[in-house]
């Protein structure tokens, strides 16, 4: 066994084998995999091993496409062929119009990744899968490349190729502990000796938290027991003359695929069971949980009704094994939050289908710092501070129970809520607030007209449309108040803070006390990594001179890791998170200044406190810090308040607002208004796949500024190449539904762009969308078509910020 290597991958299931192989493909051959037993002896050996292409966003479709292409190549390798039923096809069933509408959207998403799904009716489903009945069936989504693979052979093939490229695999070598050194390198302690390395990768499957504990972290991953059975031969299968496609059923929560001349049918029962939460027997190796068919009777019935042939055939074996879930159903692939030189590929609930792609993207992240796609949807840092075992288990159960039911827009499922609240949450609830969830925070979406108001789930504009219009009207004509909780806020102190921030931002962000600036952070490839406001506060009785760094609620762990990783040892800079201590109240509208002046001493005139100013003050008798910034496009103030004073400040603002018609508004209104102003959302519109010029952030980039900044060199090289896409604002010719992120824009059959976000603009009366499009189509007036749930509608590029184009209102 080597005593030193570059990377140690812990775990030899599909995750570990794929990561190891792909590291070698990215050019790192001094890498090892350490497995406590034999390869695939965790979950992988007993997987149903279906390989599907379906994904709800482009990254998932892209990584699964990589799996399929890789598996096909491995299967065709004459030196070591493996069993892969490639392209049997698969159908996701639907019995509601809303599900069918969703499938149309996912067809459009996949098209942008060069993948052809198809929405088919019930008769066509039955034609392609002769065992199914069309009772209570509207149709389905056809995925032509679905298939299944031999999981053990797949892992052996990957390990074999990795070994050929120089990697080593140590079987029967349990990792017993991990030590991180001052220089961030590691020693991996195993039963057969120590291995020093630069980087460790946790691919521990259901033992993820045993490995996590060795480095002092808890991963939000919980295991569920999951069962499938295999039937005896079904004569109709042999007679069909073709292999049965895969089936996925959101109506009754089961899946099936062909196994020999019978079926393999797996179930996601409502009365499901977590596994291993209180520890896992060290001898649970190549093992299964006891069969428990009683648990699945609820879903079994649905499967029998859909495939009556199942009632006439015997079951020859049952498999019940642990499968890992995270708190949103997607895996955790990337850097481990709060750690250096530590990565993970964990929480895989569809690891055979996705594993090829996960290993590919993670190897890119490890070797290059970033992958070819924006990987936020699988980033381990996307949950912050609320992911203990209990919460993870509750969300895992909910995800398991809804395995094939995709989330609709504005759908927030109820398990493990509320997780993060402020003193205002119950106050707003009493006002009738409907809440959305942002990084665990309950954030007000809008005020409901009655407690039993529940808009229907679909991709259309929903019944809340008019309520949001009314909230926006109040903001536009008078003044509104909105709580923005969970907004990420770091306090940066120390003499070198400005020099540090200058290095982090690609533009010239203000260093002046009392002023606020907006800046963008690039990665080493010169692509857009982050966005933050910086507010410079002079020394006061509340603290030393400091910069407040504010970014999206979801960015908390991501940005903290990024900033702290780039601190120089000799720099006088301290970074402290205020995210859980402070909440923002946004006061917006033409009367905002009057309300503020009525409850806070001092001169709030335009001359004394212009746009982009920051000031410490009191609202009533409570301390607050006010920023003159606007995300709505109206005159607006962000009022940052310590949570202890939040209710008091809220009462003071409401009292002062009464004379001016102050109304509450929520996140849905904010989202609509920001679309009318050309303001972007991190990880919807701001992606690591595009540079700041492609993203239309030209005015925030100063390549010639005195300080070098992260990504400068790469950005200069990119500038010489010219843009591959351009960010635009579009007007969509439809009134019943907005576009949705990921949908494709077309000219004829050619994909010319992808939607990033969309909403109705209530002040402009426009159905708006943002998109990245081919540069030739980025000028206002350019036209293309949007695939809007199966129909083609016109989309026209319009100038950004269609509401108040001169930005006069917010500066007024
Ligand atoms: C019944 C069932 C059916 C499924 N069907 C499908 C399907 O159809 N399609 C699909 O895509 N997915 C399916 N899955 C899920 C899929 O099988 C898993 O997502 C995948 O196998 C997980 O792989 P892994 O590498 O993350 O974990 P594992 O396969 O569990 O591998 C983890 C490895 O880490 C090793 N390890 C742990 N601790 C240590 C240590 N301290 N030192 C060294 N090594 C260690 C373990 O021994 C193990 O070999 C199914 C799962 C189940 C249970």
């Amino acid at each position: 066994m080597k005593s030193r290597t570059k990377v140690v991958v812990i775990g030899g299931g599909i995750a570990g084998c794929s990561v190891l192989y792909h590291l070698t493909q990215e050019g790192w051959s001094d890498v090892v995999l350490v497995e406590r037993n034999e390869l695939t002896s965790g979950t992988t050996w007993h997987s149903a091993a279906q390989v599907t292409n379906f994904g709800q966003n482009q990254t998932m479709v892209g990584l699964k496409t990589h799996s399929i292409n890789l598996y096909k190549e491995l299967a065709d390798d004459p030196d070591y062929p493996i069993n892969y039923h490639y392209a049997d096809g698969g159908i996701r069933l639907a019995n509601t119009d809303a599900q069918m509408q969703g499938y149309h959207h996912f067809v459009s998403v996949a098209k942008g990744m060069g993948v052809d799904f198809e929405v088919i009716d019930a008769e066509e489903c039955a034609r392609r899968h002769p065992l199914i009945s069309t009772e209570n069936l509207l149709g389905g989504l056809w995925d032509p490349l679905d298939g299944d693979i031999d999981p053990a052979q797949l892992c052996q093939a990957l390990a074999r190729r990795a070994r050929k490229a120089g990697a080593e695999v140590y079987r029967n070598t349990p990792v017993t502990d991990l030590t991180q050194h001052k220089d961030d390198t590691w020693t991996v302690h195993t039963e057969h000796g120590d291995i020093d390395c630069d980087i460790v990768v946790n691919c521990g499957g259901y033992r993820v938290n045993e490995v996590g504990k060795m480095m002092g972290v808890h991963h939000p991953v919980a295991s569920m027991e999951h069962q499938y059975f295999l039937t005896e031969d079904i004569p109709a299968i042999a007679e069909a003359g073709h292999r049965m496609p895969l089936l996925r059923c959101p109506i009754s929560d089961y899946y099936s695929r062909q196994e020999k001349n019978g079926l393999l049918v797996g179930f996601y029962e409502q009365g499901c069971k977590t596994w291993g939460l209180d520890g896992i027997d060290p001898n649970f190796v190549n093992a299964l949980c006891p069969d428990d068919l009683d648990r699945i009777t609820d879903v079994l019935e649905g499967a029998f009704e859909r495939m009556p042939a199942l009632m006439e055939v015997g079951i020859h074996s049952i498999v019940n094994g642990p499968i890992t879930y995270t708190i949103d159903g997607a895996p955790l692939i990337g850097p481990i939050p709060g750690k250096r030189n530590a990565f993970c590929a964990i929480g895989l609930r569809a690891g055979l289908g996705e594993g090829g792609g996960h290993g590919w993207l993670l190897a890119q992240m490890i070797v290059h710092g970033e992958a070819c796609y924006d990987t936020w949807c699988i980033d381990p840092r996307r949950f912050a501070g609320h992911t203990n075992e209990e919460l993870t288990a509750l969300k895992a159960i909910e995800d398991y129970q809804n395995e094939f039911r995709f989330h609709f827009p504005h759908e927030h499922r109820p398990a493990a809520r509320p997780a993060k609240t402020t003193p205002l949450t119950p106050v707003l609830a009493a006002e009738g607030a409907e809440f959305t969830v942002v990084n665990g925070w309950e954030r007000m979406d809008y005020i409901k007209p009655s407690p039993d108001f529940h808009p229907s789930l679909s991709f259309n504009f929903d019944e809340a449309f008019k309520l949001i219009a009314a909230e926006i009207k109040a903001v536009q004509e008078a003044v509104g108040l909105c709580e923005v909780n969970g907004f990420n806020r770091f306090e940066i102190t120390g003499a070198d803070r400005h020099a540090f921030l200058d290095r982090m931002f690609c533009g010239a962000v203000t260093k002046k006390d009392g002023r606020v600036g907006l800046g963008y952070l690039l990665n080493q490839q010169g692509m857009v990594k982050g966005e933050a406001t910086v507010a410079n506060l002079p020394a006061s009785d509340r603290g030393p001179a400091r910069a407040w760094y504010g970014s999206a609620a979801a960015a908390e762990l991501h940005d903290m890791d990024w900033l702290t990783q780039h601190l120089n040892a000799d720099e006088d800079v301290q970074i402290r998170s205020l995210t859980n201590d402070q909440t923002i109240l946004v006061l917006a509208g033409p009367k905002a200044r009057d309300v503020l002046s009525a409850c806070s001493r001092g001169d709030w005139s335009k001359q004394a406190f212009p746009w982009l100013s920051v000031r410490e003050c009191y609202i009533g008798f409570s301390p607050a810090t006010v920023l003159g910034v606007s995300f709505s496009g109206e005159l607006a103030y962000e009022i940052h308040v310590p949570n202890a004073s939040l209710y008091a400040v809220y009462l003071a603002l409401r009292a002062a607002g009464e004379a001016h018609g102050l109304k509450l508004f929520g996140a849905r209104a904010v989202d609509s208004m920001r679309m009318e102003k050309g303001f972007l959302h991190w990880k919807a519109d701001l992606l690591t796949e595009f540079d700041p010029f492609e993203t239309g952030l030209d005015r925030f980039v100063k390549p010639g500024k005195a300080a070098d900044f992260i990504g400068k060199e790469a950005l200069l090289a990119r500038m010489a190449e010219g843009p591959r896409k351009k960010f635009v604002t579009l007007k969509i010719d439809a009134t019943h539904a907005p576009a949705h992120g990921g949908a494709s824009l077309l000219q004829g059959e050619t994909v010319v762009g992808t939607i990033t976000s969309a909403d109705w603009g209530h002040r402009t009366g426009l159905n708006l969308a943002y998109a990245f499009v081919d540069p030739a189509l980025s000028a206002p007036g350019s036209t293309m078509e949007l695939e809007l749930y199966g129909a083609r509608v016109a989309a026209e590029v319009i100038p950004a910020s269609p509401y108040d184009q001169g930005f006069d209102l917010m500066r007024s």
Side-chain angles (χ1 to χ4, degrees), residues 242-320:
H242 61 83
R243 283 183 58 81
M244 288 301 109
L246 277 60
L247 268 195
R248 262 110 190 77
C249 181
I251 312 160
S252 303
D253 305 297
Y254 62 86
Y255 58 80
S256 81
R257 68 162 173 86
Q258 184 170 339
E259 174 68 20
K260 302 208 169 68
N261 275 331
L263 286 180
L264 178 158
V265 191
F267 300 92
Y268 293 97
E269 67 283 5
Q270 291 301 301
C272 53
K273 213 170 149 190
T274 55
W275 181 85
L277 283 185
D278 298 317
I280 301 167
D281 181 347
N283 298 315
F284 190 90
V285 176
N286 261 321
L288 291 174
C289 313
D291 305 345
D292 186 2
L293 282 192
D294 287 348
R295 218 172 61 223
I296 59 166
T297 42
D298 58 336
V299 277
L300 199 55
E301 222 168 274
F304 281 1
E305 279 166 15
R306 183 65 61 214
M307 289 182 285
L310 283 178
M311 286 188 267
E312 280 145 36
V313 71
I315 292 171
H316 79 63
S317 46
I318 300 166
V319 167
N320 184 16

Side-chain angles (χ1 to χ4, degrees), residues 378-447:
I378 50 175
D379 193 305
R381 297 165 299 192
R382 67 189 186 276
F383 321 116
H386 61 289
T387 53
N388 65 5
E389 281 160 32
E390 217 48 54
L391 184 140
T392 307
L394 289 169
K395 290 310 268 186
I397 291 167
E398 186 181 60
D399 272 329
Y400 185 95
Q401 290 169 330
N402 288 286
E403 175 70 28
F404 297 128
R405 280 186 282 273
F406 55 79
H407 275 85
F408 283 96
H410 309 302
E411 180 183 7
H412 301 288
R413 293 183 178 159
R417 291 179 62 189
K420 294 198 256 185
T421 59
T422 73
L424 272 196
T425 311
V427 178
L428 296 175
E431 294 276 356
E434 174 70 31
F435 292 95
T436 177
V437 183
V438 183
N439 192 19
W441 292 92
E442 297 287 329
R443 189 178 285 178
M444 186 178 117
D445 232 359
Y446 55 86
I447 296 282

Side-chain angles (χ1 to χ4, degrees), residues 605-628:
S605 67
K606 181 179 174 180
Q607 293 68 30
F609 190 78
W611 182 57
L612 295 182
S613 299
V614 56
R615 180 194 287 178
E616 289 178 331
C617 64
Y618 289 87
I619 306 285
F621 45 76
S622 308
T625 305
V626 175
L627 274 64

Side-chain angles (χ1 to χ4, degrees), residues 11 13-15 35-36 43-44 46-50 175 205 226 348 350-353:
I14 178 60
E35 163 56 49
R36 77 197 286 275
T43 289
T44 299
H46 59 71
S47 178
Q50 298 153 104
V175 172
H226 173 50
L348 277 59
L352 270 300

Side-chain angles (χ1 to χ4, degrees), residues 26-38:
E26 294 299 325
W28 285 12
S29 55
D30 182 12
V31 291
V32 308
L33 184 150
V34 185
E35 163 56 49
R36 77 197 286 275
N37 307 106
E38 290 294 340

